[in-house]
Amino acid sequence: MSRAAANWLARELKRTPDALLCLATGGTPTRAYDLLAEKRHAQPGLFRKLRVLKLDEWGGLAMDDPATCEAHLQHHIVQPLKLGRRYFGFESQPRDAQAECARVNEWLTANGPIGVCVLGLGVNGHLAFNEPAAFLRPHAHVATLSCASLRHAMLNETNERPKFGLTLGMASLLQARKILLVVSGASKRAPIQKLLSGEITPRFPASFLWLHPNVVLLCDEAARDKE
Ligand code: PGA
């Protein structure tokens, strides 16, 4: 799955070298990012113009906390590819979280739309920190983290507890030209079946991907096998 995802992303970059990639973190896409970044040795030109936007962040953790999305992206993509100013994302400890979301929205208005958005699937159906709810939000916003998100394995890397989520909104995700959804592990069997049912509901935000014309879903065998 990771190799297929890395090769798919490399093909997209070949086609659109200055693409804006919006990247999820979490356990699922990490190996794909490593495999993509490894291609810099054979194909350095592939990464000269690419821009990267961080999808979401744990609000309240320090930027250098090992659990942050920042730490993950820095380690697997931003530093290996030496992106420097071609990387942008939420500050994890903003003085004013609403103002931070406004800053990200303004940046996306000026630099977007997203070319390729890499997403993972939450066990509760969340996309980024667009959590299951009676309604979803279109733009970057401060999110109340669900119990499922607060149990996420990323947080095992810290003793701190995030206070809130910072996330791009559903419209920003659905305005991406292409979406790559990566899903792995047996814990995603039920969520992937629910997604594939095709019923669209804000109680399962990933179901809104049915409204997008260009989604690629890559999953591993553990996630695909039926119970
Ligand atoms: P995972 O996270 O890739 O670590 O399973 C996905 C998510 O919770 O959004």
Side-chain angles (χ1 to χ4, degrees):
M1 181 200 75
S2 298
R3 197 164 294 282
N7 290 342
W8 187 90
L9 287 167
R11 278 197 301 278
E12 290 303 317
L13 283 178
K14 206 163 196 178
R15 208 172 292 150
T16 316
D18 64 347
L20 174 61
L21 247 57
C22 176
L23 299 183
T25 49
T28 309
T30 304
R31 179 79 185 126
Y33 297 160
D34 287 341
L35 292 169
L36 180 68
E38 273 174 24
K39 293 181 191 287
R40 72 190 181 279
H41 303 297
Q43 305 173 70
L46 205 54
F47 303 106
R48 253 179 223 133
K49 293 186 178 162
L50 134 91
R51 298 164 299 145
V52 169
L53 170 65
K54 178 169 62 172
L55 174 69
D56 54 3
E57 189 54 276
W58 301 105
L61 301 187
M63 277 294 251
D64 60 357
D65 188 302
T68 53
C69 306
E70 181 70 21
H72 281 236
L73 281 187
Q74 286 287 348
H75 182 76
H76 295 284
I77 286 283
V78 179
Q79 288 171 19
L81 296 181
K82 298 189 172 60
L83 291 181
R85 291 169 64 83
R86 288 182 287 134
Y87 168 66
F88 183 86
F90 293 102
E91 290 290 324
S92 58
Q93 280 183 320
R95 211 174 322 145
D96 178 341
Q98 307 288 351
E100 179 61 6
C101 293
R103 185 180 77 93
V104 170
N105 278 325
E106 274 165 34
W107 186 91
L108 195 52
T109 302
N111 296 280
I114 295 163
V116 172
C117 191
V118 179
L119 297 172
L121 176 64
V123 284
N124 65 351
H126 74 195
L127 285 183
F129 289 130
N130 294 282
E131 302 277 22
F135 59 88
L136 301 172
R137 293 182 185 275
H139 304 301
H141 60 277
V142 180
T144 302
L145 293 168
S146 65
C147 297
S149 293
L150 287 166
R151 282 195 297 269
H152 195 280
M154 281 176 90
L155 296 176
N156 295 340
E157 294 176 48
T158 185
N159 292 324
E160 305 296 323
R161 277 292 158 270
K163 299 185 177 73
F164 52 89
L166 293 157
T167 184
L168 296 191
M170 292 299 288
S172 303
L173 304 187
L174 293 173
Q175 282 161 15
R177 295 206 171 92
K178 294 187 183 181
I179 293 176
L180 176 63
L181 179 67
V182 284
V183 185
S184 69
S187 66
K188 301 292 170 67
R189 275 182 202 163
I192 215 170
Q193 289 306 320
K194 196 167 164 102
L195 173 63
L196 294 177
S197 77
E199 291 173 6
I200 299 168
T201 164
R203 297 288 175 194
F204 195 84
S207 64
F208 277 72
L209 293 175
W210 285 104
L211 300 178
H212 193 281
N214 205 336
V215 179
V216 171
L217 164 62
L218 291 175
C219 70
D220 69 358
E221 285 185 14
R224 193 190 54 191
D225 290 345
K226 290 207 171 137
E227 301 283 341

